[in-house]
Amino acid sequence: MEKWFYFWLFAMTVITVVTACPPSDRAALMSIKAALHEPYLGIFNSWTGSDCCRGWYGVSCDPYIHRVADINLRGESEDPIFERAHRTGFMTGSISPAICKLDRLSSLTIADWKGISGEIPACITSLPFLRTLDLIGNKFTGRIPGDIGRLKELTVLNLADNSLTGPIPRSIVNLGRLMHLDLRNNKLSGELPSNMGQLKMMSRALLSGNQIGGPLPVSLSNIYRLSDLDLSLNKLSGEIPDMFDKMPVLATLNLDGNMISGQIPGSLLNSGVSILNLSRNALEGRIPDSFGPRSYFMVLDLSRNRLSGQIPKSISTASYIGHLDVSHNQLCGPIPAGSPYDHLEESSFAYNSCLCGKPLSKKC
């Protein structure tokens, strides 16, 4: 009986060793903890003991090989630890390069802490299994790692709301599985990669609030899955390519606040886009008389350009127009009667050369 007891004790010891995280993963996590300072919530209080796969806040391990697979630390969460503190998170410090020793990492989320700074460790591109990189809402500076394209498994890249500088790396087009790209509200400059259309799996590309210049790449029309493209508040120039009607699922196109010139492609107003914002550019010429039954706009904003001529009559053939704004242009002539104009306010047509008719007070 005693012999069986010692055999059981030995077996339990072996199982415990096998199911615990390796010392190298634990050491890497402790280095990450040491480089960060979170003074209010105590989220790192649970990072104790020898087994980082059990009970460490925000840490998950692969159930088969017991290596750290996910780090999920969000400064804005519905977790009880935030509810009890009645506050969102705040954390300072930086991300230790020791993160790169977690070579089975699949997901890295250190988001919305508002005070984490420093550069994104360049070695992060050596993590072969990384699928999610989410560092939104911090104070990261420096450049996006130039060889970001090495992360062949990456599906989500979210670096929004930081202070990153420099161009978008050309290697980004090698992320063949990328679905969600969010680089909003940084200080990125340079031009969009001309071969950005290689990102065939991408469904959302959010790049607003940067200093990106140059033309819109025609290759974007090759991204058949793209449904949401936001390039507003940048320094884009040149004309709008006649290509967006070739993108079957594109629903939102926001080019507001750039330096885009030329005329509006007629095909764009008869495409599948339902939220179209071209305001605050240098567009000129007439609004194309190319609306039709396929034209369905929840939002159509053409305000603050240099558009001239009359409002096209074909707009009455659109299936739906919820919000229309053509204010601050050089339009002239009568505003057509009936839908969609009968529910619009005067501000939608204000500050034009000689528009007249309802809802304006000026009679024709």
Side-chain angles (χ1 to χ4, degrees), residues 173 181 192-199 202 205 207 217 219-220 223:
V173 302
L181 174 65
L192 295 171
S194 60
N195 53 346
M196 202 167 177
Q198 291 181 204
L199 299 172
M202 189 162 60
L207 304 167
S219 69
L220 287 171
I223 311 177

Side-chain angles (χ1 to χ4, degrees), residues 1-59:
M1 186 74 178
E2 184 177 351
K3 180 171 67 174
W4 282 109
F5 171 77
Y6 284 113
F7 175 78
W8 176 84
L9 184 63
F10 173 76
M12 290 300 100
T13 302
V14 170
I15 290 172
T16 300
V17 171
V18 169
T19 58
C21 74
S24 58
D25 279 12
R26 184 186 184 279
L29 289 172
M30 294 307 290
S31 294
I32 294 166
K33 174 184 175 181
L36 296 170
H37 179 59
E38 191 283 297
Y40 301 111
L41 303 172
I43 66 165
F44 291 124
N45 291 346
S46 63
W47 287 30
T48 59
S50 60
D51 188 3
C52 59
C53 289
R54 183 174 299 182
W56 285 38
Y57 183 88
V59 177

Side-chain angles (χ1 to χ4, degrees), residues 1-262:
M1 186 74 178
E2 184 177 351
K3 180 171 67 174
W4 282 109
F5 171 77
Y6 284 113
F7 175 78
W8 176 84
L9 184 63
F10 173 76
M12 290 300 100
T13 302
V14 170
I15 290 172
T16 300
V17 171
V18 169
T19 58
C21 74
S24 58
D25 279 12
R26 184 186 184 279
L29 289 172
M30 294 307 290
S31 294
I32 294 166
K33 174 184 175 181
L36 296 170
H37 179 59
E38 191 283 297
Y40 301 111
L41 303 172
I43 66 165
F44 291 124
N45 291 346
S46 63
W47 287 30
T48 59
S50 60
D51 188 3
C52 59
C53 289
R54 183 174 299 182
W56 285 38
Y57 183 88
V59 177
S60 302
C61 294
D62 185 293
Y64 299 104
I65 61 174
H66 307 289
R67 298 287 308 279
V68 174
D70 302 290
I71 296 176
N72 186 4
L73 301 174
R74 290 192 177 276
E76 297 179 2
S77 171
E78 296 181 357
D79 190 280
I81 196 172
F82 292 87
E83 294 181 3
R84 288 193 296 268
H86 302 291
R87 62 171 296 134
T88 57
F90 181 76
M91 191 185 299
T92 56
S94 60
I95 295 183
S96 169
I99 196 84
C100 306
K101 295 180 180 179
L102 301 172
D103 55 14
R104 301 295 300 192
L105 200 62
S106 172
S107 175
L108 175 60
T109 298
I110 302 179
D112 296 315
W113 292 102
K114 306 173 186 68
I116 300 177
S117 57
E119 298 189 1
I120 300 171
C123 63
I124 211 162
T125 62
S126 67
L127 297 173
F129 301 102
L130 197 63
R131 292 171 53 87
T132 298
L133 178 58
D134 186 351
L135 304 178
I136 186 177
N138 291 291
K139 289 186 177 179
F140 290 109
T141 55
R143 298 188 170 209
I144 300 172
D147 57 350
I148 192 80
R150 293 176 61 193
L151 297 174
K152 302 296 185 183
E153 302 298 317
L154 202 66
T155 59
V156 174
L157 178 59
N158 189 350
L159 306 177
D161 299 329
N162 282 286
S163 296
L164 299 170
T165 55
I168 298 173
R170 299 294 170 185
S171 71
I172 202 169
V173 302
N174 297 325
L175 300 176
R177 298 191 178 186
L178 190 67
M179 298 180 188
H180 180 94
L181 174 65
D182 192 346
L183 304 177
R184 291 173 295 170
N185 301 325
N186 280 284
K187 300 175 183 177
L188 300 173
S189 57
E191 297 185 3
L192 295 171
S194 60
N195 53 346
M196 202 167 177
Q198 291 181 204
L199 299 172
K200 296 289 182 66
M201 300 295 290
M202 189 162 60
S203 61
R204 302 189 77 201
L206 310 177
L207 304 167
S208 64
N210 283 287
Q211 299 166 21
I212 299 169
L216 284 165
V218 177
S219 69
L220 287 171
S221 62
N222 296 328
I223 311 177
Y224 300 112
R225 298 171 181 260
L226 192 62
S227 64
D228 190 354
L229 177 60
D230 188 353
L231 291 164
S232 61
L233 304 176
N234 277 289
K235 296 181 178 179
L236 295 171
S237 59
E239 299 186 358
I240 300 174
D242 189 5
M243 64 179 184
F244 291 107
D245 61 320
K246 301 179 180 67
M247 303 174 71
V249 298
L250 187 65
T252 300
L253 176 61
N254 192 349
L255 302 177
D256 167 40
N258 282 283
M259 298 183 291
I260 298 171
S261 58

